[in-house]
Amino acid sequence: PTSFGRLYVASHLGGFLDAHPRVSVELDLSDGFSDLISERIDVAIRISGAIPRSLVANRLGDSPRVLCAAPGYLARHGRPARVAELADHHLLAAVGQLPWRLEGPTGAVTVDGISRVRTNSSEVVRELTLAGAGVALRSLWDVDHDIAKGRLVRVLPEHAGVSDAGIYAVYPRAPLVPATVTAFVDHLKAHWSPPPWSA
């Protein structure tokens, strides 16, 4: 995914290339789905609840998601005290990301609605949230620094996105896995253990 690749993959490529100077890298960042076999992709990062059996999946970490909004938005619109009150707020989500499935003290709950802005970009949703346009359900790896610095505030902190999503390095099943793929996955594991985002 674009945001994750920019924040957590690109920043580690220099060290990987220094350790493996004969390896050439092409980094493709996209929020769309890529067919690894037909597009001849060696390894991909997927954030998902399930990985097809046709791929080898190396779990690199969890991907917790939290509800958040900018302090300015909450000052203008109030802070929801219950999940049902989200229906009175501006929701922000990329195409295909609603409804939200949340877990809370009383179990699972679904929040449906229409995003205030229609976009196919998760990065645009993040920027809209920072600008005070509404409430979003964001991956913690994407917003933990903004929450720590007070640019965003957690909303309904006792609720979070369902915890079935993980971050995986995946590659096609094959009798022989290229050494470059194994080296790259090991490199990411070393830098993400523990994950650099807050739990």
Side-chain angles (χ1 to χ4, degrees):
T2 303
S3 300
F4 192 86
R6 178 175 53 80
L7 292 170
Y8 297 107
V9 178
S11 59
H12 296 307
L13 279 182
F16 176 74
L17 292 170
D18 288 344
H20 305 279
R22 297 179 62 190
V23 175
S24 62
V25 173
E26 179 181 344
L27 181 61
D28 180 16
L29 301 182
S30 171
D31 291 330
F33 179 83
S34 297
D35 185 318
L36 275 62
I37 295 173
S38 67
E39 297 179 40
R40 300 175 59 91
I41 296 172
D42 293 314
V43 61
I45 305 299
R46 293 260 171 93
I47 301 176
S48 176
I51 302 296
R53 294 179 57 86
S54 60
L55 300 176
V56 175
N58 294 268
R59 191 178 180 103
L60 301 174
D62 296 331
S63 185
R65 291 172 299 146
V66 298
L67 292 163
C68 57
Y73 173 85
L74 296 175
R76 293 190 308 274
H77 298 277
R79 184 189 295 256
R82 298 177 298 113
V83 171
E85 293 178 16
L86 288 172
D88 299 322
H89 282 265
H90 298 303
L91 306 184
L92 297 170
V95 173
Q97 292 182 346
L98 278 167
W100 294 334
R101 294 183 303 131
L102 305 175
E103 292 175 340
T106 60
V109 61
T110 299
V111 175
D112 205 355
I114 298 172
S115 179
R116 186 177 189 191
V117 176
R118 182 176 173 84
T119 177
N120 66 345
S121 170
S122 192
E123 287 197 295
V124 167
V125 172
R126 178 182 179 276
E127 294 305 314
L128 288 167
T129 309
L130 285 166
V135 178
L137 180 65
R138 304 298 301 156
S139 296
L140 195 57
W141 54 258
D142 195 29
V143 295
D144 65 331
H145 295 299
D146 297 308
I147 291 171
K149 292 186 179 297
R151 292 186 292 257
L152 292 175
V153 177
R154 287 195 60 177
V155 173
L156 300 169
E158 68 279 8
H159 288 82
V162 292
S163 57
D164 59 350
I167 302 168
Y168 298 89
V170 300
Y171 48 85
R173 291 193 180 276
L176 183 62
V177 177
T180 51
V181 169
T182 303
F184 183 65
V185 172
D186 289 344
H187 182 77
L188 293 180
K189 283 181 179 178
H191 283 283
W192 296 349
S193 183
W197 49 92
S198 302

